[in-house]
Amino acid sequence: MRESDTGFDPQATRGIDADDRQRRTGRDLLTHGGPPAEERIETLPIETVAISGRLEPHQTVTQALAGLVAAAGCRGAVIEMRGGHGEPFAFVGPAESTDDKHAAWYSETRAPEGGATLLFATAIVGWRDGKPFIHCHGHWQCEDETVLGHLLCDDTVLTEPVEVTGFGSRTAAFESLPDAETRFTLFTPHGEPASESNGFLLRVRPHEDIVLAVETACRRHGITEGTILGIGSLIGIRFDDAPPLAGPPTEVVVERGRIDNGRATLDIAGVDASWDQGAGRLTRGDNPVCVTFELLVAKA
């Protein structure tokens, strides 16, 4: 596939100003507090390790996931979780910024009485300040409603087993580091690049269309068929097959991601600052990243 076949100029991954990105998306973009980083799509090639099993109860989600990944001999991983229950169960949602330094923020913490039943979530298992750290988005049943959000893994204790699958790396992981552009501390791919890779870790920066960015990263690493796992935030969400979510901001979990013949499809679920929710296939070329998007792509 030629670069021009995607309708996307690969040079757009660096050096494009905000006005041009706004023209491409037809949408107002957010202003972040710091100078834009030159590299908009950061990748690190890895040799993937398939991980499956279950998280046992009576431990926090952080403890359970860190133990699972370590037992697989991996430094970092992206893990999908299904089923199970937690109590306490704590989470937040996206919110508008409360200061002039950040483009978005988080809601107040919600911790429903009786906990919640996990339906589906994706966890980025990485490191912060030398300790395991988890960034996790998903949806769960609590009280009388299904809610999407950002799980607080240190504050959520499992009371039932949780089934998990995913991919890890023995030499690399997402590392939580200060980010000058967004003024947040964010996950960034870090570690030793694999000499013979069959996948990669990927971070996409603000205002890049997430579907086109994944395709650009896959071309960079010669992957035309594979699986995409990840979470992130979008300014608003445009679907091929569902009504839009206005945002900004929105938080997102990839429920099914594929790269087929070099073309990416991302079926996601998302929530905005009003707790409105939506799910469907992302419209290609019309979903700019809000703060960050973290993914793992594994070659088929």
Side-chain angles (χ1 to χ4, degrees):
M1 177 180 290
R2 299 169 301 176
E3 306 285 1
S4 59
D5 290 340
T6 68
F8 180 63
D9 178 1
Q11 295 302 318
T13 63
R14 56 192 299 170
I16 291 289
D17 62 28
D19 288 342
D20 189 63
R21 289 192 183 95
Q22 184 167 323
R23 285 191 293 273
R24 288 192 301 169
T25 62
R27 194 175 322 171
D28 290 339
L29 301 182
L30 300 181
T31 300
H32 291 275
E38 182 180 9
E39 187 63 43
R40 310 308 297 170
I41 299 174
E42 301 175 41
T43 64
L44 182 66
I46 61 172
E47 182 179 352
T48 63
V49 176
I51 297 175
S52 63
R54 69 179 193 174
L55 308 180
E56 298 297 341
H58 312 303
Q59 54 186 332
T60 68
V61 174
T62 298
Q63 291 168 336
L65 284 170
L68 174 86
V69 171
C74 292
R75 175 163 175 77
V78 180
I79 302 293
E80 295 182 335
M81 305 186 290
R82 295 173 175 83
H85 185 271
E87 185 181 0
F89 194 104
F91 62 94
V92 296
E96 295 181 1
S97 177
T98 58
D99 59 39
D100 59 358
K101 296 180 180 179
H102 301 92
W105 200 244
Y106 303 103
S107 72
E108 294 184 357
T109 299
R110 295 178 62 177
E113 185 176 353
T117 299
L118 180 68
L119 301 176
F120 178 83
T122 294
I124 311 295
V125 184
W127 295 84
R128 183 171 183 172
D129 298 329
K131 298 178 182 179
F133 186 77
I134 315 296
H135 185 195
C136 180
H137 293 178
H139 45 112
W140 30 84
Q141 185 74 30
C142 58
E143 300 169 337
D144 296 326
E145 61 177 339
T146 299
V147 181
L148 281 84
H150 172 126
L151 186 64
L152 301 179
C153 295
D154 289 342
D155 302 319
T156 298
V157 177
L158 299 176
T159 57
E160 295 176 359
V162 175
E163 300 298 322
V164 300
T165 58
F167 296 96
S169 168
R170 294 189 173 94
T171 61
F174 282 95
E175 188 89 18
S176 193
L177 300 170
D179 180 62
E181 179 177 352
T182 64
R183 305 288 179 88
F184 283 99
T185 300
L186 300 174
F187 267 151
T188 299
H190 188 267
E192 191 68 28
S195 56
E196 297 185 7
S197 66
N198 62 350
F200 58 88
L201 302 180
L202 167 63
R203 175 196 178 184
V204 182
R205 287 184 171 272
H207 303 153
E208 297 301 320
D209 177 78
I210 187 59
V211 178
L212 299 181
V214 169
E215 292 176 354
T216 297
C218 286
R219 289 195 300 272
R220 182 183 298 173
H221 293 282
I223 293 179
T224 58
E225 310 287 335
T227 300
I228 305 162
L229 286 68
I231 63 175
S233 62
L234 299 172
I235 290 176
I237 304 178
R238 301 293 187 270
F239 298 105
D240 284 346
D241 51 0
L245 281 182
T250 62
E251 293 203 335
V252 169
V253 58
V254 177
E255 296 189 306
R256 183 181 184 275
R258 289 287 308 168
I259 183 80
D260 295 297
N261 195 29
R263 192 176 181 91
T265 54
L266 296 176
D267 296 330
I268 67 95
V271 60
D272 68 14
S274 299
W275 293 101
D276 291 332
Q277 303 169 39
R281 178 156 297 177
L282 290 182
T283 299
R284 189 167 177 273
D286 197 20
N287 282 288
V289 171
C290 179
V291 175
T292 189
F293 220 110
E294 302 145 9
L295 306 106
L296 182 150
V297 177
K299 186 177 181 180

